[in-house]
Amino acid sequence: MSTYLDTYCTIEDIQLVAPFVFDYDRKRTITNWVSHSGSGNSEIWKAGSVGKFTMLYENDIEQTEVADIPSIDADGKYYFDEAADVVYFQPTSNNNPNFDVVMTAGRDNQTLFNEFIKRSSDFVRSYINKPIYKNKGVGTGDSLGRDYPEVIVRATALMAASMAILPYDEANGLRLQDQAYNPETNTGLLDMIRKGVISLDQDEDGRDKIVKEVAVDATTTGAIVDTYGYPQVSYDRIKVIIETGGTFSAGTTSTVTYKSYVGDDSGLKVNQVQEAEVIDGSFQPVGHGVYVRFSTGLYVANDEWEVEVSGLDHTSGGGIETIQLKRR
């Protein structure tokens, strides 16, 4: 499955809001090892009832997984027979894994925390019910040059940290979660965004227009940073693609152009409705009564975005005693 949806924070952001977070890395101790085969430096040990894991550690050092028992031909290699729930391992320096070293199993730390970030980003998107666009374009970024507003970065990091901590320390996990969202008090960062107490640069009910990056060159510094209009279609996914690349900047004539495609009875993104439109920084049409605004910056030919639109009425989720205003 592929996705165009981004994540909003990094592992470093999680450490900033919860410096102790890596104390909760999901590792568990593996004990009761018995000799399986060999002896001396070539002895292979095994342990059962270990439960599913993706990484074995000796004294917190990642070991090397192999495909089968015969492939364990050097220190530090292991094979996990998931069906039998048994792990086979050749320790370093002829160590006894019951006494000489600490054996633990779990998941690779970076992989684990990246999953927390993805899950938290998905939650943030759903909870605030507003568009979240990148801080891209010359002169449009924040003071740290981050891709997304700091309040979104911080809320996502708090959610990811609480996800890591909650199974082990409920009090600390809930304390962090409450800073991100708290339906009872509506005082979390995400609650205040929903209520409009904290505003984003493009503050409107974004359920009818969602911008996603499809294929953007690594050197591109510009982006679609806002949308406008009421979609005159029940549902579609508009393709917006850079036709002629270049640099769009204030004070010079733009040479960057885009084109766009909408769906018809034959499928999505097949009917071209805009061609060779010069990017000028204003709200410009892409189809179905929807307009987008490009930031200043560098664009590369074939940079592509998708604008998912729906003209159906949505129930906003803004909560009690709040109202969502929509720009037409």
Side-chain angles (χ1 to χ4, degrees):
M1 184 191 310
S2 63
T3 179
Y4 301 145
L5 298 176
D6 277 345
T7 54
Y8 301 135
C9 74
T10 65
I11 293 176
E12 288 76 15
D13 295 319
I14 299 175
Q15 289 178 291
L16 182 67
V17 300
F20 51 87
V21 71
F22 287 137
D23 292 340
Y24 305 88
D25 59 5
R26 299 292 203 275
K27 290 191 185 77
R28 59 188 183 276
T29 304
I30 304 299
T31 58
N32 298 322
W33 294 86
V34 297
S35 179
H36 172 69
S37 65
S39 61
N41 291 331
S42 300
E43 186 170 12
I44 295 175
W45 297 73
K46 66 180 179 182
S49 300
V50 295
K52 185 175 177 61
F53 67 90
T54 57
M55 183 60 67
L56 185 70
Y57 299 85
E58 183 187 77
N59 289 339
D60 286 333
I61 303 298
E62 293 184 357
Q63 303 302 291
T64 303
E65 184 176 16
V66 295
D68 50 35
I69 297 174
S71 298
I72 303 177
D73 56 5
D75 289 358
K77 291 187 177 182
Y78 72 93
Y79 166 65
F80 176 43
D81 185 342
E82 185 173 350
D85 198 15
V86 176
V87 60
Y88 300 84
F89 175 60
Q90 181 172 316
T92 58
S93 303
N94 195 27
N95 285 320
N96 183 320
N98 290 305
F99 309 110
D100 301 329
V101 291
V102 176
M103 300 300 304
T104 54
R107 297 179 59 186
D108 172 75
N109 189 274
Q110 183 174 1
T111 301
L112 177 66
F113 278 86
N114 279 336
E115 180 176 322
F116 292 152
I117 290 170
K118 291 175 182 177
R119 290 177 180 271
S120 299
S121 297
D122 287 341
F123 180 90
V124 168
R125 260 188 295 272
S126 299
Y127 192 78
I128 69 169
N129 195 31
K130 294 174 182 284
I132 303 172
Y133 298 140
K134 280 191 172 182
N135 290 329
K136 294 193 73 172
V138 177
T140 61
D142 60 22
S143 59
L144 293 175
R146 303 300 300 271
D147 281 346
Y148 288 99
E150 174 62 22
V151 65
I152 295 295
V153 173
R154 186 172 184 82
T156 307
L158 286 165
M159 286 297 302
S162 71
M163 194 175 295
I165 294 169
L166 261 172
Y168 304 99
D169 186 343
E170 184 175 5
N172 264 326
L174 289 176
R175 178 180 61 82
L176 293 168
Q177 179 178 285
D178 287 347
Q179 293 179 55
Y181 86 104
N182 188 326
E184 293 184 1
T185 64
N186 285 321
T187 55
L189 294 175
L190 300 178
D191 301 307
M192 289 190 283
I193 291 174
R194 289 212 308 179
K195 292 191 300 181
V197 177
I198 296 177
S199 65
L200 302 179
D201 289 340
Q202 60 292 349
D203 227 348
E204 61 170 306
D205 182 350
R207 290 289 299 276
D208 59 349
K209 301 180 291 293
I210 302 173
V211 178
K212 306 173 186 177
E213 287 187 357
V214 176
V216 176
D217 191 86
T219 62
T220 296
T221 58
I224 294 175
V225 293
D226 207 350
T227 61
Y228 172 78
Y230 185 77
Q232 298 168 2
V233 64
S234 60
Y235 178 82
D236 199 4
R237 288 159 60 184
I238 304 172
K239 176 180 179 179
V240 182
I241 189 167
I242 298 298
E243 193 169 8
T244 304
T247 299
F248 166 49
S249 59
T252 61
T253 301
S254 175
T255 59
V256 184
T257 64
Y258 74 92
K259 54 186 176 181
S260 63
Y261 298 79
V262 299
D264 59 21
D265 293 340
S266 63
L268 297 170
K269 304 181 182 181
V270 294
N271 183 22
Q272 184 170 332
V273 292
Q274 301 292 333
E275 180 179 8
E277 289 286 332
V278 177
I279 291 178
D280 60 16
S282 65
F283 283 101
Q284 300 182 264
V286 293
H288 296 311
V290 173
Y291 299 77
V292 302
R293 182 169 64 85
F294 292 90
S295 70
T296 54
L298 173 68
Y299 294 87
V300 177
N302 296 318
D303 283 345
E304 181 181 340
W305 294 265
E306 173 185 285
V307 185
E308 186 174 358
V309 298
S310 174
L312 301 176
D313 289 334
H314 295 283
T315 301
S316 175
I320 299 174
E321 297 181 352
T322 67
I323 184 171
Q324 295 281 351
L325 299 180
K326 180 179 293 186
R327 181 170 55 207
R328 304 296 189 193

